Amino acid sequence: MHTYIALLRAVNLAGRGRVAMADLRDLVTAAGHGDVATYLQSGNVVFTSDRTDPEALSADLRQRLAGELGVDTQVLVRTGTEITGIAAHHPFREAQPDHAKLHVAFLAAEPDPGRAAQLTVPDGAPEELHLAGREVYLHYPAGAGRSRLTAAYLEKWLGVGVTARNWKTVTALAGLARQRA
């Protein structure tokens, strides 16, 4: 069995894309996966499966969400190994003792190298970013709440779907993945 983490984009935000976590767990279980757990109300689900293609899992879960729960949203899937690696290697973690100011943006695909090379923080913004494959590690020294370095900004620059999670969520998901390994 393999461990996976599915990250749903933009669910339960300001009344949009309402998904009850019990319904999400039931949906993932009915899809034939096991040891299913959700984390928070923002569309994070950890599960095991004998399937080996994360992209196929992503497409299947998206289709089921739309068909069964009426929510058409992007679903990004990472393996347990990927999420634990991400949690172990945030490049700003040592320099920023307040981990509430650290985030990770998960990309639906690796961006075009030309677009990736041009990625910068908005002019005058204090944030820092580091793109590594399908993740953008983010540091918000003044907090993320009013930052212009948003998922929408990253999507525009990189041309791929994005969903972001704060550091506490990333490390909690890594812990849940390790429990299933």
Side-chain angles (χ1 to χ4, degrees), residues 3 6 10 18 25 34 45 52-53 62 86 93-94 98 103 105 111 123 127 136 152 170 172 181:
T3 301
R18 304 290 298 161
R25 287 189 298 274
V45 60
T52 59
D53 184 352
R62 182 176 188 166
I86 292 163
R93 187 180 64 201
E94 298 301 322
D98 182 358
H103 291 70
D123 288 340
E127 294 85 13
V136 180
V170 172

Side-chain angles (χ1 to χ4, degrees), residues 1-2 10 16 39 43 47-48 57 60 65 68-69 75 84 87 96 112 121 124 134 140 142 145 158 166-167 178-179:
M1 293 298 259
H2 307 280
R16 293 184 12 234
Y39 180 74
F47 59 96
T48 58
L57 283 169
D60 181 58
L65 278 164
E68 296 173 31
L69 301 179
V75 178
T84 55
Q96 177 53 262
D112 172 78
V121 299
R134 296 183 301 151
Y140 294 99
L158 297 173
N166 65 39
W167 191 242
R178 280 191 296 275
Q179 290 173 4

Side-chain angles (χ1 to χ4, degrees), residues 25-112:
R25 287 189 298 274
D26 290 346
L27 181 138
V28 174
T29 300
H33 310 300
D35 205 8
V36 179
T38 54
Y39 180 74
L40 300 177
Q41 298 294 316
S42 55
N44 307 295
V45 60
V46 181
F47 59 96
T48 58
S49 179
D50 59 0
R51 295 180 61 184
T52 59
D53 184 352
E55 287 184 32
L57 283 169
S58 174
D60 181 58
L61 291 174
R62 182 176 188 166
Q63 181 179 1
R64 288 173 185 271
L65 278 164
E68 296 173 31
L69 301 179
V71 176
D72 185 14
T73 191
Q74 196 161 36
V75 178
L76 285 72
V77 174
R78 296 298 191 265
T79 67
T81 301
E82 287 173 320
I83 204 81
T84 55
I86 292 163
H89 295 104
H90 198 300
F92 305 114
R93 187 180 64 201
E94 298 301 322
Q96 177 53 262
D98 182 358
H99 290 174
K101 296 183 178 186
L102 302 177
H103 291 70
V104 177
F106 295 89
L107 310 180
E110 200 158 324
D112 172 78

